[in-house]
PDB file of all heavy atoms in Angstrom:
ATOM      1  N   GLU A  43      -9.967  31.999  -4.051  1.00 88.00           N
ATOM      2  CA  GLU A  43     -11.174  32.712  -4.386  1.00 88.00           C
ATOM      3  C   GLU A  43     -11.820  32.173  -5.605  1.00 88.00           C
ATOM      4  O   GLU A  43     -11.276  31.276  -6.289  1.00 88.00           O
ATOM      5  CB  GLU A  43     -10.838  34.202  -4.565  1.00 88.00           C
ATOM      6  CG  GLU A  43     -10.252  34.779  -3.292  1.00 88.00           C
ATOM      7  CD  GLU A  43      -9.967  36.253  -3.463  1.00 88.00           C
ATOM      8  OE1 GLU A  43     -10.866  37.033  -3.318  1.00 88.00           O
ATOM      9  OE2 GLU A  43      -8.821  36.636  -3.812  1.00 88.00           O
ATOM     10  N   SER A  44     -13.026  32.705  -5.982  1.00 85.00           N
ATOM     11  CA  SER A  44     -13.652  32.126  -7.152  1.00 85.00           C
ATOM     12  C   SER A  44     -12.764  32.395  -8.340  1.00 85.00           C
ATOM     13  O   SER A  44     -12.189  33.447  -8.492  1.00 85.00           O
ATOM     14  CB  SER A  44     -15.028  32.786  -7.313  1.00 85.00           C
ATOM     15  OG  SER A  44     -14.959  34.140  -7.134  1.00 85.00           O
ATOM     16  N   SER A 156     -34.382  18.670   5.456  1.00 88.00           N
ATOM     17  CA  SER A 156     -33.789  19.956   5.603  1.00 88.00           C
ATOM     18  C   SER A 156     -32.442  19.971   4.873  1.00 88.00           C
ATOM     19  O   SER A 156     -31.951  18.933   4.435  1.00 88.00           O
ATOM     20  CB  SER A 156     -33.512  20.224   7.095  1.00 88.00           C
ATOM     21  OG  SER A 156     -32.527  19.404   7.585  1.00 88.00           O
ATOM     22  N   ASP A 186     -26.478  26.996   7.100  1.00 88.00           N
ATOM     23  CA  ASP A 186     -26.388  27.913   8.241  1.00 88.00           C
ATOM     24  C   ASP A 186     -25.252  27.495   9.179  1.00 88.00           C
ATOM     25  O   ASP A 186     -24.858  26.350   9.193  1.00 88.00           O
ATOM     26  CB  ASP A 186     -27.706  27.931   9.008  1.00 88.00           C
ATOM     27  CG  ASP A 186     -28.702  28.867   8.298  1.00 88.00           C
ATOM     28  OD1 ASP A 186     -28.299  29.922   7.898  1.00 88.00           O
ATOM     29  OD2 ASP A 186     -29.870  28.438   8.195  1.00 88.00           O
ATOM     30  N   LYS A 198     -15.236  15.259  10.127  1.00 94.00           N
ATOM     31  CA  LYS A 198     -14.108  14.999  11.045  1.00 94.00           C
ATOM     32  C   LYS A 198     -14.184  13.582  11.594  1.00 94.00           C
ATOM     33  O   LYS A 198     -13.175  12.867  11.598  1.00 94.00           O
ATOM     34  CB  LYS A 198     -14.096  16.058  12.167  1.00 94.00           C
ATOM     35  CG  LYS A 198     -12.778  16.412  12.702  1.00 94.00           C
ATOM     36  CD  LYS A 198     -12.957  17.527  13.786  1.00 94.00           C
ATOM     37  CE  LYS A 198     -13.152  18.880  13.206  1.00 94.00           C
ATOM     38  NZ  LYS A 198     -13.134  19.969  14.263  1.00 94.00           N
ATOM     39  N   GLU A 220     -10.838  24.026  10.320  1.00 94.00           N
ATOM     40  CA  GLU A 220     -11.575  23.009  11.147  1.00 94.00           C
ATOM     41  C   GLU A 220     -11.146  21.599  10.796  1.00 94.00           C
ATOM     42  O   GLU A 220     -11.406  20.667  11.610  1.00 94.00           O
ATOM     43  CB  GLU A 220     -13.081  23.155  10.819  1.00 94.00           C
ATOM     44  CG  GLU A 220     -13.716  24.349  11.381  1.00 94.00           C
ATOM     45  CD  GLU A 220     -13.883  24.298  12.896  1.00 94.00           C
ATOM     46  OE1 GLU A 220     -14.241  23.225  13.469  1.00 94.00           O
ATOM     47  OE2 GLU A 220     -13.637  25.344  13.550  1.00 94.00           O
ATOM     48  N   ARG A 260     -12.784  38.662  12.476  1.00 88.00           N
ATOM     49  CA  ARG A 260     -12.708  37.634  13.518  1.00 88.00           C
ATOM     50  C   ARG A 260     -13.807  37.784  14.575  1.00 88.00           C
ATOM     51  O   ARG A 260     -14.258  38.883  14.763  1.00 88.00           O
ATOM     52  CB  ARG A 260     -11.315  37.689  14.190  1.00 88.00           C
ATOM     53  CG  ARG A 260     -10.123  37.571  13.222  1.00 88.00           C
ATOM     54  CD  ARG A 260     -10.021  36.185  12.720  1.00 88.00           C
ATOM     55  NE  ARG A 260      -8.942  36.151  11.721  1.00 88.00           N
ATOM     56  CZ  ARG A 260      -7.738  35.645  11.943  1.00 88.00           C
ATOM     57  NH1 ARG A 260      -7.476  35.173  13.177  1.00 88.00           N
ATOM     58  NH2 ARG A 260      -6.839  35.599  11.032  1.00 88.00           N
ATOM     59  N   GLY A 263     -10.725  38.587  19.863  1.00 81.00           N
ATOM     60  CA  GLY A 263      -9.518  39.477  19.754  1.00 81.00           C
ATOM     61  C   GLY A 263      -9.939  40.910  19.359  1.00 81.00           C
ATOM     62  O   GLY A 263     -11.088  41.237  19.249  1.00 81.00           O
TER      63      GLY A 263
ATOM     64  N   SER B  57     -31.034  31.345   8.162  1.00 87.00           N
ATOM     65  CA  SER B  57     -32.013  31.530   7.100  1.00 87.00           C
ATOM     66  C   SER B  57     -33.412  31.173   7.632  1.00 87.00           C
ATOM     67  O   SER B  57     -33.570  30.191   8.397  1.00 87.00           O
ATOM     68  CB  SER B  57     -31.709  30.714   5.887  1.00 87.00           C
ATOM     69  OG  SER B  57     -31.242  29.445   6.203  1.00 87.00           O
ATOM     70  N   ASP B 214     -16.077  37.742  -2.952  1.00 83.00           N
ATOM     71  CA  ASP B 214     -14.890  37.042  -2.509  1.00 83.00           C
ATOM     72  C   ASP B 214     -14.362  37.708  -1.230  1.00 83.00           C
ATOM     73  O   ASP B 214     -14.482  38.903  -1.058  1.00 83.00           O
ATOM     74  CB  ASP B 214     -13.834  37.084  -3.627  1.00 83.00           C
ATOM     75  CG  ASP B 214     -13.971  35.898  -4.561  1.00 83.00           C
ATOM     76  OD1 ASP B 214     -14.227  34.843  -4.075  1.00 83.00           O
ATOM     77  OD2 ASP B 214     -13.793  36.093  -5.756  1.00 83.00           O
ATOM     78  N   SER B 216     -11.443  38.549  -0.346  1.00 81.00           N
ATOM     79  CA  SER B 216     -10.481  39.642  -0.436  1.00 81.00           C
ATOM     80  C   SER B 216     -11.118  40.996  -0.685  1.00 81.00           C
ATOM     81  O   SER B 216     -10.484  42.042  -0.405  1.00 81.00           O
ATOM     82  CB  SER B 216      -9.444  39.322  -1.512  1.00 81.00           C
ATOM     83  OG  SER B 216     -10.008  39.419  -2.789  1.00 81.00           O
ATOM     84  N   ARG B 247     -19.858  41.772  14.177  1.00 92.00           N
ATOM     85  CA  ARG B 247     -19.015  42.326  15.263  1.00 92.00           C
ATOM     86  C   ARG B 247     -18.150  43.473  14.710  1.00 92.00           C
ATOM     87  O   ARG B 247     -17.875  44.455  15.397  1.00 92.00           O
ATOM     88  CB  ARG B 247     -18.137  41.203  15.787  1.00 92.00           C
ATOM     89  CG  ARG B 247     -17.120  41.678  16.805  1.00 92.00           C
ATOM     90  CD  ARG B 247     -16.385  40.488  17.372  1.00 92.00           C
ATOM     91  NE  ARG B 247     -15.399  40.899  18.381  1.00 92.00           N
ATOM     92  CZ  ARG B 247     -14.108  40.861  18.200  1.00 92.00           C
ATOM     93  NH1 ARG B 247     -13.617  40.435  17.024  1.00 92.00           N
ATOM     94  NH2 ARG B 247     -13.284  41.216  19.140  1.00 92.00           N
ATOM     95  N   TYR B 248     -17.795  43.319  13.472  1.00 90.00           N
ATOM     96  CA  TYR B 248     -16.877  44.308  12.890  1.00 90.00           C
ATOM     97  C   TYR B 248     -17.590  45.619  12.504  1.00 90.00           C
ATOM     98  O   TYR B 248     -17.046  46.637  12.644  1.00 90.00           O
ATOM     99  CB  TYR B 248     -16.231  43.642  11.668  1.00 90.00           C
ATOM    100  CG  TYR B 248     -15.319  44.555  10.923  1.00 90.00           C
ATOM    101  CD1 TYR B 248     -14.058  44.889  11.478  1.00 90.00           C
ATOM    102  CD2 TYR B 248     -15.707  45.103   9.719  1.00 90.00           C
ATOM    103  CE1 TYR B 248     -13.226  45.743  10.805  1.00 90.00           C
ATOM    104  CE2 TYR B 248     -14.854  45.938   9.046  1.00 90.00           C
ATOM    105  CZ  TYR B 248     -13.610  46.261   9.603  1.00 90.00           C
ATOM    106  OH  TYR B 248     -12.799  47.122   8.964  1.00 90.00           O
ATOM    107  N   ARG B 294      -8.798  21.904  14.365  1.00 91.00           N
ATOM    108  CA  ARG B 294      -9.019  20.624  13.714  1.00 91.00           C
ATOM    109  C   ARG B 294      -8.808  19.435  14.675  1.00 91.00           C
ATOM    110  O   ARG B 294      -9.174  18.322  14.423  1.00 91.00           O
ATOM    111  CB  ARG B 294      -8.059  20.450  12.523  1.00 91.00           C
ATOM    112  CG  ARG B 294      -6.591  20.283  12.830  1.00 91.00           C
ATOM    113  CD  ARG B 294      -5.816  20.083  11.606  1.00 91.00           C
ATOM    114  NE  ARG B 294      -4.496  19.566  11.788  1.00 91.00           N
ATOM    115  CZ  ARG B 294      -3.436  20.299  12.071  1.00 91.00           C
ATOM    116  NH1 ARG B 294      -3.540  21.609  12.263  1.00 91.00           N
ATOM    117  NH2 ARG B 294      -2.268  19.703  12.187  1.00 91.00           N
ATOM    118  N   ARG B 296     -10.137  19.131  17.620  1.00 91.00           N
ATOM    119  CA  ARG B 296     -11.251  18.833  18.500  1.00 91.00           C
ATOM    120  C   ARG B 296     -12.557  18.929  17.742  1.00 91.00           C
ATOM    121  O   ARG B 296     -12.653  19.499  16.672  1.00 91.00           O
ATOM    122  CB  ARG B 296     -11.283  19.845  19.696  1.00 91.00           C
ATOM    123  CG  ARG B 296     -11.413  21.256  19.211  1.00 91.00           C
ATOM    124  CD  ARG B 296     -11.350  22.233  20.339  1.00 91.00           C
ATOM    125  NE  ARG B 296     -11.429  23.584  19.819  1.00 91.00           N
ATOM    126  CZ  ARG B 296     -12.562  24.217  19.560  1.00 91.00           C
ATOM    127  NH1 ARG B 296     -13.734  23.696  19.884  1.00 91.00           N
ATOM    128  NH2 ARG B 296     -12.586  25.443  19.058  1.00 91.00           N
ATOM    129  N   ARG B 298     -16.392  20.291  17.631  1.00 90.00           N
ATOM    130  CA  ARG B 298     -17.083  21.453  18.160  1.00 90.00           C
ATOM    131  C   ARG B 298     -18.264  21.053  19.034  1.00 90.00           C
ATOM    132  O   ARG B 298     -19.021  20.222  18.627  1.00 90.00           O
ATOM    133  CB  ARG B 298     -17.577  22.333  17.031  1.00 90.00           C
ATOM    134  CG  ARG B 298     -16.919  23.634  16.959  1.00 90.00           C
ATOM    135  CD  ARG B 298     -17.237  24.378  15.730  1.00 90.00           C
ATOM    136  NE  ARG B 298     -16.014  25.096  15.337  1.00 90.00           N
ATOM    137  CZ  ARG B 298     -15.631  26.209  15.867  1.00 90.00           C
ATOM    138  NH1 ARG B 298     -16.343  26.868  16.759  1.00 90.00           N
ATOM    139  NH2 ARG B 298     -14.478  26.758  15.455  1.00 90.00           N
ATOM    140  N   GLU B 305     -33.367  20.677  14.725  1.00 85.00           N
ATOM    141  CA  GLU B 305     -33.280  21.661  13.711  1.00 85.00           C
ATOM    142  C   GLU B 305     -34.383  22.669  13.821  1.00 85.00           C
ATOM    143  O   GLU B 305     -35.357  22.508  14.560  1.00 85.00           O
ATOM    144  CB  GLU B 305     -33.418  20.973  12.292  1.00 85.00           C
ATOM    145  CG  GLU B 305     -32.265  19.997  12.085  1.00 85.00           C
ATOM    146  CD  GLU B 305     -32.060  19.685  10.614  1.00 85.00           C
ATOM    147  OE1 GLU B 305     -32.641  20.389   9.769  1.00 85.00           O
ATOM    148  OE2 GLU B 305     -31.274  18.780  10.344  1.00 85.00           O
TER     149      GLU B 305
END
Side-chain angles (χ1 to χ4, degrees):
Chain A
E43 299 183 84
S44 44
S156 68
D186 279 316
K198 210 177 282 187
E220 290 288 317
R260 305 290 176 102
Chain B
S57 41
D214 270 321
S216 70
R247 173 174 183 253
Y248 178 73
R294 73 178 194 275
R296 60 184 178 86
R298 244 170 220 278
E305 299 201 10

